[in-house]
Coordinates of all heavy atoms in Angstrom, one line a residue:
W867 N 0.9 -1.2 0.0 CA 0.0 0.0 0.0 C 0.9 1.2 0.0 O 1.0 1.9 1.0 CB -0.9 0.0 1.2 CG -2.3 0.6 0.9 CD1 -2.7 1.3 -0.2 CD2 -3.4 0.6 1.9 NE1 -4.0 1.7 0.0 CE2 -4.4 1.3 1.2 CE3 -3.6 0.1 3.1 CZ2 -5.7 1.5 1.8 CZ3 -4.8 0.3 3.7 CH2 -5.8 1.0 3.1
R868 N 1.4 1.5 -1.2 CA 2.4 2.6 -1.3 C 1.8 3.9 -1.0 O 2.5 4.8 -0.4 CB 3.0 2.5 -2.7 CG 4.0 3.6 -3.1 CD 4.6 3.3 -4.5 NE 3.5 3.0 -5.5 CZ 2.8 3.9 -6.1 NH1 2.9 5.2 -5.9 NH2 1.9 3.5 -7.0
R869 N 0.6 4.1 -1.4 CA -0.1 5.4 -1.1 C -1.5 5.1 -0.6 O -2.4 5.0 -1.3 CB -0.1 6.3 -2.4 CG -0.6 7.7 -2.2 CD -0.6 8.5 -3.5 NE -1.6 8.1 -4.4 CZ -1.3 7.4 -5.5 NH1 -0.1 7.1 -5.9 NH2 -2.3 7.1 -6.4
P870 N -1.6 5.0 0.7 CA -2.9 4.6 1.3 C -3.9 5.7 1.1 O -3.6 6.9 1.0 CB -2.5 4.5 2.8 CG -1.1 4.3 2.9 CD -0.5 5.1 1.7
T871 N -5.1 5.3 1.0 CA -6.3 6.1 0.8 C -7.4 5.6 1.8 O -7.3 4.5 2.3 CB -6.9 6.1 -0.6 OG1 -7.0 4.7 -1.0 CG2 -5.9 6.8 -1.6
P872 N -8.3 6.5 2.2 CA -9.4 6.1 3.1 C -10.1 4.9 2.6 O -10.4 4.8 1.4 CB -10.2 7.3 3.2 CG -9.4 8.5 2.8 CD -8.4 7.9 1.8
V873 N -10.5 4.0 3.5 CA -11.3 2.8 3.2 C -12.5 2.7 4.2 O -12.4 3.1 5.3 CB -10.4 1.5 3.2 CG1 -9.5 1.5 2.1 CG2 -9.7 1.4 4.5
S874 N -13.5 2.1 3.7 CA -14.7 1.9 4.4 C -15.6 1.0 3.6 O -15.5 0.9 2.4 CB -15.4 3.2 4.8 OG -15.9 3.8 3.7
P875 N -16.6 0.3 4.2 CA -17.5 -0.5 3.4 C -18.2 0.3 2.3 O -18.8 1.3 2.6 CB -18.5 -1.0 4.4 CG -17.8 -1.0 5.7 CD -16.9 0.2 5.6
V876 N -18.1 -0.2 1.1 CA -18.8 0.5 0.0 C -20.3 0.1 -0.1 O -21.2 0.9 -0.2 CB -18.1 0.2 -1.4 CG1 -18.9 0.7 -2.5 CG2 -16.7 0.7 -1.4
D877 N -20.6 -1.2 0.2 CA -21.9 -1.7 0.2 C -22.1 -2.5 1.5 O -21.7 -3.6 1.6 CB -22.2 -2.6 -1.0 CG -23.6 -3.1 -1.1 OD1 -24.4 -2.8 -0.1 OD2 -23.9 -3.9 -2.0
P878 N -22.8 -1.9 2.5 CA -23.0 -2.5 3.8 C -23.7 -3.9 3.7 O -23.6 -4.7 4.6 CB -23.8 -1.5 4.6 CG -23.5 -0.2 3.9 CD -23.4 -0.5 2.5
A879 N -24.4 -4.1 2.6 CA -25.1 -5.4 2.4 C -24.1 -6.5 2.1 O -24.4 -7.6 2.2 CB -26.1 -5.3 1.3
E880 N -22.9 -6.1 1.7 CA -21.9 -7.0 1.3 C -20.7 -7.0 2.4 O -20.2 -8.1 2.7 CB -21.3 -6.7 0.0 CG -22.2 -6.9 -1.2 CD -22.5 -8.3 -1.6 OE1 -21.7 -9.2 -1.3 OE2 -23.6 -8.6 -2.2
T881 N -20.4 -5.9 2.8 CA -19.2 -5.7 3.7 C -19.6 -5.0 5.0 O -20.1 -3.8 4.9 CB -18.1 -4.9 3.0 OG1 -17.8 -5.6 1.8 CG2 -16.8 -4.9 3.9
A882 N -19.4 -5.6 6.1 CA -19.8 -5.0 7.4 C -18.8 -4.0 7.9 O -19.1 -2.9 8.4 CB -19.9 -6.1 8.5
R883 N -17.5 -4.3 7.7 CA -16.4 -3.3 8.1 C -15.2 -3.6 7.3 O -15.0 -4.7 6.8 CB -16.2 -3.3 9.6 CG -15.6 -4.6 10.1 CD -15.4 -4.5 11.6 NE -14.9 -5.7 12.2 CZ -13.8 -5.8 13.0 NH1 -13.1 -4.7 13.2 NH2 -13.5 -7.0 13.5
V884 N -14.3 -2.6 7.3 CA -13.0 -2.7 6.7 C -12.0 -2.3 7.8 O -12.2 -1.3 8.5 CB -12.8 -1.8 5.5 CG1 -11.4 -1.9 4.9 CG2 -13.9 -2.1 4.4
F885 N -10.9 -3.1 8.0 CA -10.0 -2.9 9.1 C -8.6 -3.4 8.8 O -8.5 -4.2 7.8 CB -10.5 -3.5 10.4 CG -10.7 -5.0 10.4 CD1 -9.8 -5.8 11.1 CD2 -11.7 -5.6 9.7 CE1 -9.9 -7.1 11.1 CE2 -11.9 -7.0 9.7 CZ -11.0 -7.8 10.4
T886 N -7.7 -2.9 9.5 CA -6.3 -3.4 9.3 C -5.9 -4.1 10.6 O -6.4 -3.8 11.7 CB -5.3 -2.2 9.1 OG1 -5.4 -1.3 10.1 CG2 -5.6 -1.6 7.7
V887 N -5.0 -5.1 10.5 CA -4.5 -5.8 11.6 C -2.9 -5.8 11.6 O -2.4 -6.2 10.5 CB -5.0 -7.3 11.6 CG1 -4.4 -8.0 12.8 CG2 -6.5 -7.4 11.5
P888 N -2.3 -5.4 12.6 CA -0.8 -5.4 12.7 C -0.3 -6.8 12.5 O -0.9 -7.8 13.1 CB -0.5 -4.8 14.0 CG -1.7 -4.0 14.4 CD -2.8 -4.8 13.9
V889 N 0.8 -7.0 11.7 CA 1.4 -8.3 11.6 C 1.9 -8.8 13.0 O 1.8 -10.0 13.2 CB 2.6 -8.2 10.6 CG1 3.4 -9.5 10.6 CG2 2.0 -8.0 9.2
S890 N 2.3 -7.9 13.8 CA 2.8 -8.3 15.1 C 1.6 -8.9 16.0 O 1.9 -9.9 16.7 CB 3.4 -7.1 15.9 OG 2.4 -6.1 16.1
E891 N 0.4 -8.5 15.7 CA -0.7 -9.0 16.4 C -1.1 -10.4 15.9 O -1.4 -11.3 16.7 CB -1.9 -8.1 16.3 CG -3.1 -8.4 17.1 CD -4.2 -7.4 17.1 OE1 -3.9 -6.2 17.0 OE2 -5.4 -7.8 17.2
L892 N -1.0 -10.6 14.6 CA -1.2 -11.9 14.0 C -0.2 -12.9 14.4 O -0.5 -14.1 14.6 CB -1.2 -11.8 12.5 CG -2.4 -10.9 11.9 CD1 -2.1 -10.6 10.4 CD2 -3.7 -11.7 12.0

């Protein structure tokens, strides 16, 4: 993700949320 842009569900009927998870947490 060289140039991040805002993200959020485009269609709530398909996607409940958009989120990131740190690799360290995984």
Side-chain angles (χ1 to χ4, degrees):
W867 213 355
R868 178 173 46 82
R869 191 176 67 252
T871 49
V873 289
S874 63
V876 173
D877 182 356
E880 296 284 338
T881 306
R883 67 180 177 125
V884 180
F885 61 106
T886 56
V887 181
V889 171
S890 60
E891 189 173 326
L892 293 166

